[in-house]
Amino acid sequence: MTRIPAPERRAALIEAALRVISRNGIAQATTRAIVAEAGMSLASFHYAFDSRDELIDELIEAVIEHARHAIMPDELPEGTLVEVLEAGIIRYFEHLKADPEHEQAMLELTQYALRSPDRHPQARAQYARYVELAERSLEVAAERTGSQWTVPIARVARVLVAFTDGLTLTWLVDRDDDASLAVANAAAVALSRMAEPR
Amino acid sequence: MTRIPAPERRAALIEAALRVISRNGIAQATTRAIVAEAGMSLASFHYAFDSRDELIDELIEAVIEHARHAIMPDELPEGTLVEVLEAGIIRYFEHLKADPEHEQAMLELTQYALRSPDRHPQARAQYARYVELAERSLEVAAERTGSQWTVPIARVARVLVAFTDGLTLTWLVDRDDDASLAVANAAAVALSRMAEPR
DNA sequence: AAGCGACTGGGACGGGTGACCCAGTTGGAA
DNA sequence: TTCCAACTGGGTCACCCGTCCCAGTCGCTT
């Protein structure tokens, strides 16, 4: 095995851990499985990290950092607010379909964090980040369609996150594309009611 | 320890397992933890069940069987369709707040089932049950408010399940009651758009 | 070119897991 | 009242887990 400085190894291990969790679930993300995925020995793991817990902590921080691509596209389609919102949600849905295991991993990570008091703040931070991204997209959507939000945008964003979460969870279970498109449309309709023409 | 026939023991163990999962998460639901919760010995466990897997299987079946109380109340408030829908979702939300750990356990069970091909059908069945319950409530709501669904009711129900799931997941993370009420309202508005006066 | 510190591999440890076994005990049918 | 099958307790198994240790090796700096 070639020699790799510890910081790079940490990054490589975090990536490997994420791959393992995506493929097999967090329960299977043992130090041995992670190390095998990264092609390292156990000693390298404990040289880079004090403990598995520390790896998981950093993993969550990392996924918060480069969280899912903004829920809305950069280049927005033309149209009414509802249409733009729906297009944005559908774009997220396409992203979900392209890599379902990743979103499933995110969900598991959240549930995992929720189970220990020490990590609960991390779950909150993860969702705060989602809301922040949603907020930014909603701002753009309103601006482009000549609308303005009549409800605090943070609140609108929080609702959007709830809707996309529900879309994700239910789709992961039944993989019903049509139903999810209906959810996307209904969500867009609901959100558009929180804005008015400017 | 008093003697208990195997079928009763199975039931007692399933209940104990659900309590353990609610309290500590599915990862902590080891045979020993379950047995301790039920006040039994390990031998009694393996007398009643062939394996831990079998217990989990039956546990999921059991929760599907007596799934969460209908999402909507039996006695509906007076009002428009939107109001009735919103009241129903809020009722579910109250139920969630009263026993968050139970809903968290349900979520974990779903995620768990999703991770093994053998159990995926169980997750589907769980959600099919949710949709069925939602459907029944939506029927009543439309009838009482003199409305009729313009979209197949199964589809409306599926959207409702997605919305309540999103509400649940996000609330479990940030425990923001006001935000969840906003979600409930937005969901009710969106759903009401799928019906017309009769 | 020498030497030191960063890094590696392999093996080992204690602890927890699911499963199992078997010698006992007890309730209820005969 | 007898006795057998249903049930129990406790001990044990092999396995996997996270962690640790230590003897070796490689690359940088001087």
Side-chain angles (χ1 to χ4, degrees):
Chain A
M1 181 90 305
T2 53
R3 297 168 84 79
I4 302 172
E8 282 179 41
R9 227 169 245 287
R10 287 170 78 93
L13 282 166
I14 287 173
E15 280 171 32
L18 189 55
R19 283 198 302 275
V20 171
I21 295 174
S22 294
R23 189 175 346 107
N24 302 323
I26 198 166
Q28 303 299 318
T30 63
T31 52
R32 282 166 173 76
I34 294 167
V35 144
E37 174 75 23
M40 300 181 191
S41 72
L42 277 172
S44 301
F45 182 99
H46 281 287
Y47 185 80
F49 291 98
D50 279 352
S51 68
R52 180 180 173 280
D53 264 18
E54 189 181 313
L55 184 268
I56 299 289
D57 274 352
E58 292 219 7
L59 170 56
I60 298 179
E61 299 295 335
V63 302
I64 294 174
E65 194 59 31
H66 24 73
R68 47 181 154 187
H69 325 114
I71 291 174
M72 301 276 190
D74 296 322
E75 349 145 343
L76 289 162
E78 296 300 311
T80 64
L81 180 60
V82 193
E83 287 166 356
V84 171
L85 290 172
E86 185 174 1
I89 298 172
I90 288 174
R91 194 181 124 112
Y92 163 74
F93 178 45
E94 296 298 335
H95 160 71
L96 166 64
K97 286 205 286 183
D99 191 3
E101 296 187 331
H102 181 264
E103 291 310 312
Q104 200 172 338
M106 293 301 101
L107 243 24
E108 287 188 43
L109 245 17
T110 304
Q111 300 272 111
Y112 182 79
L114 242 31
R115 275 303 176 186
S116 114
D118 290 349
R119 286 192 224 269
H120 201 133
Q122 286 188 300
R124 280 179 189 265
Q126 192 182 357
Y127 274 70
R129 174 89 172 123
Y130 291 166
V131 170
E132 184 192 326
L133 292 172
E135 209 171 312
R136 225 174 290 165
S137 302
L138 289 170
E139 260 169 22
V140 177
E143 188 187 331
R144 298 285 182 84
T145 58
S147 316
Q148 63 185 4
W149 298 105
T150 55
V151 172
I153 195 167
R155 174 54 43 92
V156 184
R158 171 63 171 70
V159 172
L160 173 54
V161 169
F163 285 168
T164 50
D165 254 20
L167 185 152
T168 303
L169 199 48
T170 50
W171 184 83
L172 284 173
V173 172
D174 68 12
R175 305 274 166 148
D176 184 336
D177 291 6
D178 289 343
S180 292
L181 289 176
V183 172
N185 178 264
V189 167
L191 291 171
S192 69
R193 291 300 208 81
M194 299 179 176
E196 62 186 10
R198 191 176 32 192
Chain B
M1 182 91 303
T2 52
R3 296 169 84 78
I4 302 172
E8 283 178 40
R9 226 169 245 287
R10 288 171 80 93
L13 281 166
I14 288 173
E15 281 171 32
L18 189 55
R19 283 198 301 277
V20 172
I21 295 173
S22 294
R23 189 175 345 109
N24 302 324
I26 198 166
Q28 303 299 319
T30 64
T31 52
R32 282 168 174 80
I34 294 167
V35 144
E37 175 74 24
M40 298 181 192
S41 73
L42 275 173
S44 301
F45 181 99
H46 281 288
Y47 186 80
F49 290 98
D50 278 352
S51 68
R52 180 179 172 280
D53 265 17
E54 190 182 311
L55 185 266
I56 300 288
D57 275 352
E58 292 219 6
L59 170 56
I60 298 178
E61 300 294 335
V63 302
I64 293 173
E65 193 60 29
H66 26 75
R68 46 182 156 187
H69 326 113
I71 290 174
M72 301 278 191
D74 297 322
E75 348 146 344
L76 289 163
E78 296 301 312
T80 63
L81 181 59
V82 193
E83 288 166 355
V84 171
L85 290 173
E86 186 173 0
I89 297 171
I90 288 175
R91 195 181 123 112
Y92 162 74
F93 178 45
E94 296 298 335
H95 159 73
L96 166 63
K97 286 205 287 183
D99 191 3
E101 297 187 330
H102 181 263
E103 291 310 312
Q104 200 173 337
M106 295 300 102
L107 243 24
E108 286 188 43
L109 245 17
T110 304
Q111 299 274 112
Y112 182 80
L114 241 33
R115 275 302 175 188
S116 114
D118 291 350
R119 287 191 224 270
H120 200 133
Q122 286 187 301
R124 279 179 191 265
Q126 191 182 356
Y127 273 71
R129 174 87 173 125
Y130 291 165
V131 170
E132 185 193 325
L133 292 172
E135 208 171 313
R136 225 174 289 164
S137 301
L138 289 170
E139 261 170 21
V140 177
E143 189 187 329
R144 298 284 182 84
T145 59
S147 315
Q148 64 185 4
W149 298 105
T150 55
V151 171
I153 194 167
R155 176 53 43 92
V156 184
R158 170 64 171 68
V159 172
L160 173 53
V161 169
F163 285 168
T164 50
D165 254 20
L167 185 152
T168 302
L169 198 49
T170 50
W171 183 82
L172 283 174
V173 172
D174 67 12
R175 305 274 167 149
D176 184 336
D177 290 5
D178 288 343
S180 293
L181 289 176
V183 172
N185 178 265
V189 167
L191 291 170
S192 69
R193 291 299 209 81
M194 299 179 176
E196 62 185 10
R198 191 176 31 194

